[in-house]
Amino acid sequence: MTRDKIEIITDVLDANRVVAEENRRILKQAGVFAINLMGSPGSGKTRVLERTLENIGNKIRAGIIQGDITTTLDSERLMKFEVPVVQINTEPFGGDCHLGANLVQRAVKSMDLSQIGLLFIENVGNLVCPAEFDIGENLKMLVFSVTEGEEKPLKYPLMFRECGVVLINKIDLLKHLNVKIDHLTQNIRRINPGAEVLRLSAETGEGVDEWISFLKDRINLYRAS
Amino acid sequence: MTRDKIEIITDVLDANRVVAEENRRILKQAGVFAINLMGSPGSGKTRVLERTLENIGNKIRAGIIQGDITTTLDSERLMKFEVPVVQINTEPFGGDCHLGANLVQRAVKSMDLSQIGLLFIENVGNLVCPAEFDIGENLKMLVFSVTEGEEKPLKYPLMFRECGVVLINKIDLLKHLNVKIDHLTQNIRRINPGAEVLRLSAETGEGVDEWISFLKDRINLYRAS
């Protein structure tokens, strides 16, 4: 072996990227569309997931990888749906504040991918770190609650820049808040003009149809690619 | 110098701890009580800070170190108060998701400590990473919004375990949410029985007096020590 052939992985992010590309290949081979679901603690990620499973219909079979530092509370919430759920706790790995491609690969390999067409990977609740790590997803998705305030896209730009779709959640609370959703939307567009921005309330169901329709389009595009 | 005398700093957390202890000494010498103010994005940290500055009275002079990944939006909000504000942006340092003791030391050394008795260090909005890093504070304080949900202390235990005081914020929104504040309080106590747990709305002012009274007690205890 010549020296040129030795691949040197120089840092954590590089190493992560290599594994993420592997994950993407594995998922593509199985025809599974994977979404990296991110957002602050309490932005409503699991609630959006519940609404999505209720409304996605029978033609698309979903699976879930549930990332948390500790506890299986979110996985338990999702047990009522007849979908495979794999829990990843980062606590034994130092209580990591994000999912890495390695842990996701382990979870993916433990699933029967032939049974699903859509995989949600719910990341650790955090508006900062998860944005830095590719886990092999096809779409990065942010659930952002109106209660977090309209200036956050400017303060946490990486997350907003990375995401292909931003779901502005809890719009039913707008009437009780000093938050202007148009201003929030403008701030998102300033940081990421290409992102799809949708408004909904996972609690009341408002806007869920538009989200489901966008999701189905993206899955069809992926399958055709 | 013998080999035994060589202090080897083995990892990032150790190195951080050494600098944090230096910060604590510098602050103690100047008689400054320092608070590490943490919480998720949008939990209301800056709003709580504004309320505190409005209500703390003339006897205690405050200073602020404002930590953000990017932007000076929060510092600008605080400019209306006649207090020294130093901005730290972590973006040039890799967009760090938390403040480290080094950056805080640089900010502390740039301030005239003889002019203040209380220093708020507002950390990056994040319920995970800042909890891991001692920055030389005397009190770790969490601002947690009721909109984040009652099970979060169980899911993000390190932050709740580390904090000496938890401010449950935005209680004016409780009537619009499916969140039971007693259940939330129980979950906090389960993780950290010793923490002071206070309820308030920085928006309406409810509960602010109790918080100010707790804060003054803690400053007096520090001064007497």
Side-chain angles (χ1 to χ4, degrees), chain B residues 134-149:
Chain B
D134 184 355
I135 53 175
E137 74 284 314
N138 305 110
L139 176 66
K140 289 186 177 175
M141 163 178 171
L142 175 63
V143 174
F144 183 82
S145 162
V146 291
T147 59
E148 298 180 62

Side-chain angles (χ1 to χ4, degrees), chain A residues 107-134:
Chain A
V108 164
K109 286 184 171 170
S110 78
M111 300 179 97
D112 183 356
L113 296 180
S114 71
Q115 295 302 307
I116 62 171
L118 170 63
L119 177 63
F120 282 101
I121 307 165
E122 185 176 336
N123 221 309
V124 176
N126 187 329
L127 200 56
V128 186
C129 317
E132 293 177 37
F133 293 83
D134 183 357

Side-chain angles (χ1 to χ4, degrees), chain B residues 38-146:
Chain B
M38 299 181 280
S40 297
S43 61
K45 293 181 291 303
T46 310
R47 194 76 193 86
V48 164
L49 211 40
E50 289 174 315
R51 275 287 179 192
T52 307
L53 295 174
E54 284 163 21
N55 289 278
I56 192 82
N58 296 325
K59 285 190 190 150
I60 298 164
R61 286 185 296 183
I64 295 162
I65 295 174
Q66 189 54 252
D68 272 314
I69 295 171
T70 182
T71 83
T72 54
L73 290 168
D74 286 349
S75 292
E76 288 159 28
R77 276 174 68 181
L78 297 165
M79 281 305 179
K80 62 175 176 284
F81 300 99
E82 289 179 1
V83 299
V85 179
V86 176
Q87 174 80 37
I88 300 178
N89 280 138
T90 68
E91 195 163 53
F93 307 91
D96 261 5
C97 49
H98 63 273
L99 291 180
N102 260 317
L103 281 180
V104 170
Q105 184 165 104
R106 212 183 292 183
V108 164
K109 286 183 172 170
S110 78
M111 302 179 95
D112 182 357
L113 297 180
S114 72
Q115 294 302 308
I116 62 170
L118 169 64
L119 175 63
F120 282 101
I121 306 165
E122 185 175 337
N123 221 309
V124 176
N126 188 329
L127 201 55
V128 185
C129 317
E132 292 176 38
F133 292 84
D134 184 355
I135 53 175
E137 74 284 314
N138 305 110
L139 176 66
K140 289 186 177 175
M141 163 178 171
L142 175 63
V143 174
F144 183 82
S145 162
V146 291

Side-chain angles (χ1 to χ4, degrees), chain A residues 39-43 45-46 66 68-71 73-74 77 91 94-97 122-129 132 145 147-149 151-152 154-157 161 170 172-173 176-178 203, chain B residues 39-43 45-46 66 68-71 73-74 77 91 94-97 122-129 132 145 147-149 151-152 154-157 161 170 172-173 176-178 203:
Chain A
S40 296
S43 61
K45 293 181 292 303
T46 309
Q66 187 55 251
D68 272 313
I69 296 171
T70 182
T71 82
L73 290 167
D74 287 348
R77 275 174 68 182
E91 193 164 54
D96 262 5
C97 49
E122 185 176 336
N123 221 309
V124 176
N126 187 329
L127 200 56
V128 186
C129 317
E132 293 177 37
S145 162
T147 58
E148 298 180 62
E151 85 291 3
K152 294 302 179 296
L154 310 181
K155 291 182 63 185
Y156 302 87
R161 200 172 292 135
K170 305 197 191 182
D172 57 301
L173 294 178
H176 311 299
L177 303 171
N178 288 324
E203 201 60 31
Chain B
S40 297
S43 61
K45 293 181 291 303
T46 310
Q66 189 54 252
D68 272 314
I69 295 171
T70 182
T71 83
L73 290 168
D74 286 349
R77 276 174 68 181
E91 195 163 53
D96 261 5
C97 49
E122 185 175 337
N123 221 309
V124 176
N126 188 329
L127 201 55
V128 185
C129 317
E132 292 176 38
S145 162
T147 59
E148 298 180 62
E151 85 291 3
K152 293 302 179 295
L154 309 181
K155 291 183 64 186
Y156 302 88
R161 201 173 290 135
K170 307 197 190 180
D172 56 302
L173 294 177
H176 312 297
L177 304 169
N178 289 324
E203 202 60 33

